[in-house]
Amino acid sequence: MLLKYRLFLEHWTLVLQNLDVTRAKPNKKMTRAFFDSGDVISCTPQETVERLRSVVGLNISDREQEQILALAKLRNALQHYALTDRKGIIESRIAEVLDFLIRFLDDSLLPKLEPAHRDKVTDDMEKIRYGLTRIRSFVQQRMERLKDQLVSHEGHTLQCPDCRQWALLAGNPSSCLFCPATTDPQLTVWNYAGNVLRLPWRSPPPISDQFSQPSTPPVDPCPDCGAETLVRGARTAAAPERPTNFCFSCATAFTNLCEICSQPFRAVDEQSVCGSCLSLGSED
């Protein structure tokens, strides 16, 4: 709502998803009167951020856009987490967005308000800044307490798709020491591919003219354990700057890709081709 209000201050039409559509009368052209009555279909969170960047010209980084959209996508889940008291998820996920929102308010929204209106929110802003400091402190202290537990597991510790902390221990089951979230590795890997790496789901070609296969996450079978829980481009705490091919079931990283089929495999000596392609080559 804060982001959309900044669009409104630029021009009321920027808040609309489509100028030709009203909610109660789909065939009626949008007017300011209809807008003021609330008879509108507003733009999506993604459209909101893109318009702030491209039309208003605000400096919103790609990373900040990802954080905002991820939080918007998970707002229902956050309500569920609050009801089930999964301590840590709400604090961790909201802290990163609050950093952006406070800067957004200070630089892009509050200066646009009338002085009287701006003065009314001064006390609230101080409370928010104080609350953010406490949230940051909670996250830092909790991660500090987990440091000794995580240090010996860096090779299979990844960023948790729920709380975004580097505290997810891959395995069967996978478990996060920060949230804590414990799930089946296949579910974990789907969430990781979508929420952390932001990888698009694959849509296979139609089976027939009438039916098509559902989209699937970008997950491959593991060359060691065979489970379809291997993600390309995953990053572990041992080398967060270096993408690798990682299986969430057997917690194994594969740095080699077959020169023929491009599939991950465990290399022996200086082997550059996987076992399957070697077998096919020997048959030929």
Side-chain angles (χ1 to χ4, degrees):
M1 293 304 297
L2 289 171
L3 299 180
K4 288 181 180 180
Y5 186 63
R6 179 61 183 87
L7 286 179
F8 171 79
L9 293 178
E10 198 72 14
H11 197 275
W12 65 271
T13 57
L14 290 175
V15 181
L16 302 173
Q17 190 173 79
N18 190 330
L19 274 174
D20 295 328
V21 176
T22 62
R23 190 180 300 276
K25 300 178 181 179
N27 297 322
K28 185 78 174 180
K29 287 285 186 179
M30 176 61 68
T31 64
R32 181 58 192 263
F34 275 115
F35 178 85
D36 290 340
S37 71
D39 184 26
V40 300
I41 299 175
S42 64
C43 52
T44 65
Q46 181 163 346
E47 290 169 337
T48 300
V49 177
E50 289 174 351
R51 292 176 189 182
L52 287 172
R53 297 174 72 175
S54 62
V55 180
V56 182
L58 298 188
N59 181 25
I60 301 175
S61 69
D62 291 343
R63 174 60 180 161
E64 289 168 339
Q65 178 172 347
E66 287 181 2
Q67 293 169 347
I68 295 165
L69 297 182
L71 188 63
K73 180 181 177 182
L74 289 176
R75 59 188 170 188
N76 291 332
L78 287 173
Q79 292 175 348
H80 172 71
Y81 295 150
L83 291 174
T84 56
D85 195 28
R86 293 180 65 181
K87 186 68 173 175
I89 293 179
I90 296 176
E91 288 89 342
S92 181
R93 295 300 303 276
I94 291 181
E96 60 185 13
V97 180
L98 276 177
D99 275 325
F100 161 76
L101 283 178
I102 288 177
R103 178 176 66 80
F104 171 80
L105 286 166
D106 288 339
D107 298 343
S108 304
L109 188 56
L110 296 183
K112 295 285 184 179
L113 301 180
E114 296 293 330
H117 293 159
R118 190 164 58 245
D119 291 342
K120 287 183 179 180
V121 302
T122 300
D123 290 341
D124 289 335
M125 289 300 298
E126 289 305 314
K127 293 176 182 177
I128 292 171
R129 289 189 178 92
Y130 174 68
L132 178 57
T133 300
R134 294 187 63 184
I135 291 173
R136 286 196 190 114
S137 176
F138 164 79
V139 173
Q140 291 170 357
Q141 290 175 10
R142 189 171 177 83
M143 287 302 296
E144 186 66 27
R145 288 197 300 270
L146 295 173
K147 185 184 296 184
D148 291 340
Q149 292 178 255
L150 293 170
V151 68
S152 59
H153 302 289
E154 289 185 337
H156 62 276
T157 297
L158 301 97
Q159 193 175 12
C160 175
D162 280 343
C163 68
R164 294 298 198 272
Q165 299 303 314
W166 288 83
L168 176 69
L169 299 183
N172 198 357
S174 299
S175 62
C176 177
L177 300 185
F178 185 91
C179 299
T182 302
T183 59
D184 174 85
Q186 187 172 56
L187 178 59
T188 301
V189 78
W190 288 10
N191 289 336
Y192 181 86
N195 297 339
V196 177
L197 299 185
R198 312 289 292 177
L199 296 176
W201 282 42
R202 299 185 289 225
S203 296
I207 298 175
S208 67
D209 293 335
Q210 294 181 326
F211 302 100
S212 62
Q213 296 171 314
S215 297
T216 57
V219 178
D220 293 307
C222 173
D224 270 14
C225 70
E228 293 206 12
T229 52
L230 185 140
V231 173
R232 301 191 189 210
R235 299 171 187 266
T236 66
E241 73 290 344
R242 186 172 67 247
T244 189
N245 307 299
F246 191 86
C247 175
F248 281 68
S249 290
C250 61
T252 304
F254 300 88
T255 57
N256 299 91
L257 293 179
C258 176
E259 290 184 352
I260 298 177
C261 68
S262 299
Q263 292 298 311
F265 75 104
R266 186 186 297 280
V268 178
D269 297 327
E270 296 184 2
Q271 179 182 342
S272 60
V273 179
C274 70
S276 298
C277 291
L278 278 176
S279 299
L280 290 175
S282 62
E283 290 176 4
D284 293 340

